[in-house]
Amino acid sequence: MTSAPAPLLVLAAMPEESAPLHARLVAAEELTTPLAAPVTARRGLLSGQDTIVVTTGIGVAAAAAAATWGILAHRPRAVVSAGSCGGLAADVEVGTLIVGEEFTWSIADATAFGYAPGQVPGGPERHRADPALVDAAESAARAVAARGWRRGLMLAGDAFVTAPLAEPMRVRFPAALSADMETTASARTAEALAVPFVALRAVSDLCGPAAGQQFHLEIDVVAEISATAVEALAAGLSD
């Protein structure tokens, strides 16, 4: 007797980011979680792949708690961070799909003790996504990202990156593509629990836009971009 394949675990911070994923689930059912609102979980088929979508709440602690529950309770084959992010790289535009390959903390600073910017003492300089999953996510992005995609470093921390924070952050992290408030926490949790991880988040706002740049897209538009890419990734995993 063979066991059922492990599910895909998709994490999104806000209900608005989960909504287009929920809309794509076939035969979906609500799951009970031990976590208080706003955490919710829904399970169904996404492109034929058994998938659990968890709305985690905003911020590092919320993301880590929800990711820990999702991984320990359901033993997923992989974890995907979905939804929106802020565009940090000067040449990133709103609507760009970011494929997360490396992750670090946007405001962690132990450089006085010899650590790299963003590195937490005792932790790695970078948390890294699973290489095969990153390749699969990039293939999905290439297939569906009408506004383009970028692959690389994402930052996260409990600070909304406004223009005054953006320029110093670009100096500290010249390779960083985006900033949000959950992805590094989810990546670190998946890494600690030995589950493959990747991020597929779309840029909703530019952190300190240049003159003439469009600087904002509505969250429902951006969430749809991310969800389309996650759906394409799930389809690839089902092959």
Side-chain angles (χ1 to χ4, degrees):
M1 181 176 177
T2 59
S3 58
L8 182 67
L9 179 64
V10 184
L11 308 174
M14 299 185 292
E16 295 88 344
E17 294 170 312
S18 298
L21 291 161
H22 290 168
R24 288 166 164 79
L25 291 179
V26 175
E29 61 176 354
E30 296 294 326
L31 300 181
T32 301
T33 84
L35 303 170
V39 181
T40 63
R42 190 175 295 184
R43 186 171 193 165
L45 295 177
L46 182 66
S47 293
Q49 169 69 46
D50 183 17
T51 301
I52 299 169
V53 177
V54 179
T55 306
T56 67
I58 296 170
V60 165
T68 299
W69 167 76
I71 292 169
L72 293 180
H74 299 287
R75 302 294 178 181
R77 64 184 296 179
V79 178
V80 182
S81 177
S84 65
C85 59
L88 192 61
D91 59 345
V92 164
E93 302 288 347
V94 291
T96 300
L97 192 61
I98 305 297
V99 180
E101 185 170 34
E102 296 183 318
F103 314 90
T104 196
W105 304 99
S106 58
I107 56 177
D109 189 350
T111 53
F113 301 99
Y115 293 93
Q119 185 179 12
V120 172
E125 184 173 339
R126 297 283 189 270
H127 299 281
R128 302 184 190 280
D130 179 81
L133 195 56
V134 175
D135 288 344
E138 186 174 26
S139 293
R142 183 182 298 114
V144 303
R147 292 174 176 261
W149 78 93
R150 296 285 300 278
R151 169 176 172 165
L153 174 64
M154 300 177 74
L155 309 180
D158 280 331
F160 188 76
V161 182
T162 55
L165 293 177
E167 193 53 42
M169 205 167 282
R170 290 188 184 110
V171 172
R172 294 181 73 216
F173 304 101
L177 300 176
S178 66
D180 62 74
M181 300 177 75
E182 298 85 26
T183 303
T184 302
S186 301
R188 193 257 181 238
T189 302
E191 181 179 86
L193 295 173
V195 179
F197 177 86
V198 76
L200 275 169
R201 298 178 73 142
V203 174
S204 59
D205 296 88
L206 300 184
C207 306
Q213 280 186 302
Q214 182 185 3
F215 66 91
H216 175 74
L217 273 179
E218 296 301 325
I219 188 64
D220 58 336
V221 175
V222 172
E224 186 69 27
I225 293 169
S226 173
T228 300
V230 174
E231 181 180 36
L233 173 61
L237 295 177
S238 296
D239 291 343

